[in-house]
Amino acid sequence: MARRAQVAVGVAATLVLAGTTAVLPNAAEAASAPPPALAPADPQPTAHASRPEVAPAQRDTVPGKGWRSSTDIAWTTSGDANGLHILVAKASEGYAWHTITTLSEPGFEADAWIGNVCVTGSGRRLAATYTPRTFTNSGALFTRGAFTAVVDLGTGRVTKLPLRASLAYYSPGCGIGESVVFTQPADEDSSRTRLVRVDAGNGKRAAAVEQTGQVTSAVPFADGTIAAADRHRIVGIGADGRRRTLARTHAVPFTIVVGPDGGLTYLDHADGKGLVQHLPRTASRPSTVARGDLTGIDLTRDATGRAYVTGSATGERSGVAGTPALPKETLASTRGESFVTSTGWPAAGARQPDPTPAVDVALAIRSTGHRLHFTVDVTASGDPAGRGPSPVPGTATRQRIAAAAGSTTNPVEDERTCAVPRNDPRNQAGHTCTASTSTAITRSVPVGWRTLPRRPCRPVPIRSPSADRGPGSRPP
């Protein structure tokens, strides 16, 4: 009940002191002082403000004294029946959380909207793919049906793109510049893959690069090329589609991060273990910088390209910044000064009735080691363009019809998109009453049926499929 009451009045922020620094940015610092783990959060934190932010009196000690001049932005997403909400919090504003926009499309009935998001190299924009959750039930919609957009983190302005992409976890892919790569399998059997590079600054896209076979985890790389996973190797793909091998891997690599020096950090696996590999720009062979259980280790990145190892990893060395105390699915902020460690439903993991009024966000501050917990209202939609139709060819007419307001007095579904409207009493299937059904049965059975001779029951033998068409086949 306390949770419900807290949501009803709006939002609340809670703060828990949690020790010292937990993240070190480079190998030199790691050698001098290994990063201690962040302390666990207090199970009963105390609220400090009526808004989801750090109280002004605590900002010099919680985010640290440099918070006023910091350009760091923490971000996360939350989806419900209203759309995919983009939530941000700026360090210069005391990490005050708010919803800058909600991404959805008119004309779709959805119990929840889902998607993937990455931050561009400037730290000013997010690239997103989003769809109704039911799109995952269709192979074609999952691989080529996700809507795409670019969101300005400062203003909340939404630029929807005339492009449909894959909903796979690796699309979109961001690098250290403003380019974003959207992946689109050209067919359902993954025999071809189309990669589309988009400039997030102006929304312009380059000519699609089509590849034979399946390539995944594509991200913008140096000199206009794309780095991607191709079977047991990482390849560089030029604008002409030619591939060159950048590194050999033990298995299919994933989560490729382009570093500020042009090197690559990525996840590989062998013998059931996850390996964090680092390939310097001038090297031809990678080195293992961390390892752990395959399902318990992960990478996250900030806008500058620094990679952070999360989860149950050991053996951090050069090339990554170790974060042993952060859970696997942590999101780094734009400058790596804070980490969103979880985003979920306030009621102890139970989903609330739609529309969801609020979500819980947990944030860890890198420089001070403090952990913060916020309950953030997601009903504010921000830029209304987030709910407008995407400029995807072939959908504008359908969406304009679907967006038409339905009548409040006519039960017939005026805003339908299908040929047959619902609730039209003139177009309903007729159902017979019980007496009519009984009469029909009586007339279908001949008089005196009880005295008719009965034929012996002779089951028809089932013929073996292999007898006619060979092993493993079925008769027509």
Side-chain angles (χ1 to χ4, degrees):
M1 295 301 293
R3 285 283 191 183
R4 293 289 183 183
Q6 187 179 35
V7 171
V9 298
V11 293
T14 58
L15 167 67
V16 181
L17 301 182
T20 58
T21 304
V23 183
L24 297 179
N26 54 48
E29 294 184 21
S32 60
L38 290 173
D42 189 335
Q44 295 182 340
T46 303
H48 292 278
S50 59
R51 297 184 59 202
E53 63 182 7
V54 178
Q58 298 173 328
R59 293 179 183 177
D60 285 341
T61 57
V62 179
K65 294 186 178 298
W67 65 271
R68 291 180 179 84
S69 59
S70 175
T71 60
D72 187 54
I73 302 176
W75 59 274
T76 187
T77 62
S78 176
D80 58 26
N82 285 329
L84 183 68
H85 308 291
I86 308 297
L87 286 65
V88 302
K90 298 180 180 180
S92 60
E93 298 175 357
Y95 287 111
W97 286 93
H98 64 285
T99 304
I100 58 171
T101 193
T102 298
L103 299 175
S104 64
E105 296 292 323
F108 290 92
E109 294 182 2
D111 66 333
W113 287 79
I114 59 176
N116 303 313
V117 177
C118 68
V119 62
T120 63
S122 66
R124 296 169 51 194
R125 300 176 181 90
L126 292 179
T129 57
Y130 60 98
T131 70
R133 187 176 64 164
T134 52
F135 275 30
T136 59
N137 297 329
S138 166
L141 292 176
F142 179 84
T143 56
R144 302 187 300 279
F147 298 95
T148 58
V150 174
V151 180
D152 190 300
L153 287 175
T155 65
R157 180 175 179 268
V158 177
T159 302
K160 293 198 171 183
L161 306 173
L163 173 68
R164 300 286 283 272
S166 172
L167 193 60
Y169 70 92
Y170 49 77
S171 179
C174 296
I176 57 177
E178 287 304 280
S179 291
V180 181
V181 176
F182 292 95
T183 302
Q184 183 190 64
D187 44 39
E188 288 190 51
D189 61 4
S190 300
S191 62
R192 293 179 299 153
T193 305
R194 185 180 295 114
L195 305 176
V196 182
R197 190 166 184 152
V198 176
D199 187 332
N202 54 30
K204 295 181 179 180
R205 59 177 181 172
V209 178
E210 192 163 309
Q211 295 288 290
T212 301
Q214 185 180 30
V215 294
T216 58
S217 299
V219 293
F221 194 42
D223 303 324
T225 61
I226 295 173
D230 175 22
R231 301 183 189 179
H232 289 195
R233 61 174 182 164
I234 292 181
V235 296
I237 304 174
D240 57 359
R242 294 183 180 180
R243 308 184 203 184
R244 62 184 179 92
T245 300
L246 301 178
R248 295 287 179 181
T249 59
H250 299 283
V252 178
F254 55 101
T255 313
I256 300 174
V257 177
V258 181
D261 60 349
L264 297 175
T265 305
Y266 57 92
L267 286 168
D268 196 0
H269 57 98
D271 300 325
K273 294 294 183 180
L275 307 173
V276 179
Q277 304 282 82
H278 181 68
L279 179 69
R281 177 69 184 274
T282 58
S284 59
R285 298 186 62 181
S287 59
T288 301
V289 296
R291 66 181 67 239
D293 292 336
L294 179 58
T295 59
I297 190 172
D298 203 358
L299 280 178
T300 186
R301 57 173 286 277
D302 61 24
T304 65
R306 285 178 297 182
Y308 302 87
V309 183
T310 61
S312 55
T314 59
E316 290 85 355
R317 294 192 288 109
S318 62
V320 295
T323 56
L326 299 177
K328 177 184 174 182
E329 296 183 354
T330 293
L331 294 174
S333 63
T334 58
R335 299 301 166 195
E337 297 175 11
S338 60
F339 298 88
V340 175
T341 57
S342 68
T343 304
W345 312 111
R351 187 167 182 175
Q352 303 179 56
D354 292 326
T356 304
V359 295
D360 279 351
V361 179
L363 187 72
I365 305 298
R366 170 179 168 177
S367 62
T368 63
H370 292 159
R371 286 186 183 267
L372 303 97
H373 294 260
F374 304 96
T375 301
V376 185
D377 186 357
V378 297
T379 56
S381 60
D383 186 359
R387 298 179 182 272
S390 289
V392 179
T395 64
T397 301
R398 177 177 57 82
Q399 291 176 341
R400 282 197 298 268
I401 296 174
S407 173
T408 58
T409 58
N410 185 5
V412 181
E413 186 186 26
D414 290 336
E415 67 276 18
R416 69 186 185 277
T417 57
C418 59
V420 180
R422 290 180 292 184
N423 303 327
D424 188 349
R426 298 164 300 178
N427 196 20
Q428 300 294 319
H431 296 276
T432 61
C433 62
T434 304
S436 298
T437 303
S438 178
T439 300
I441 294 174
T442 301
R443 291 182 177 180
S444 65
V445 178
V447 178
W449 63 272
R450 295 177 183 273
T451 61
L452 293 177
R454 298 182 181 181
R455 297 179 180 179
C457 178
R458 296 177 180 176
V460 178
I462 299 177
R463 302 174 67 183
S464 172
S466 61
D468 293 339
R469 304 179 62 87
S473 62
R474 295 181 301 173

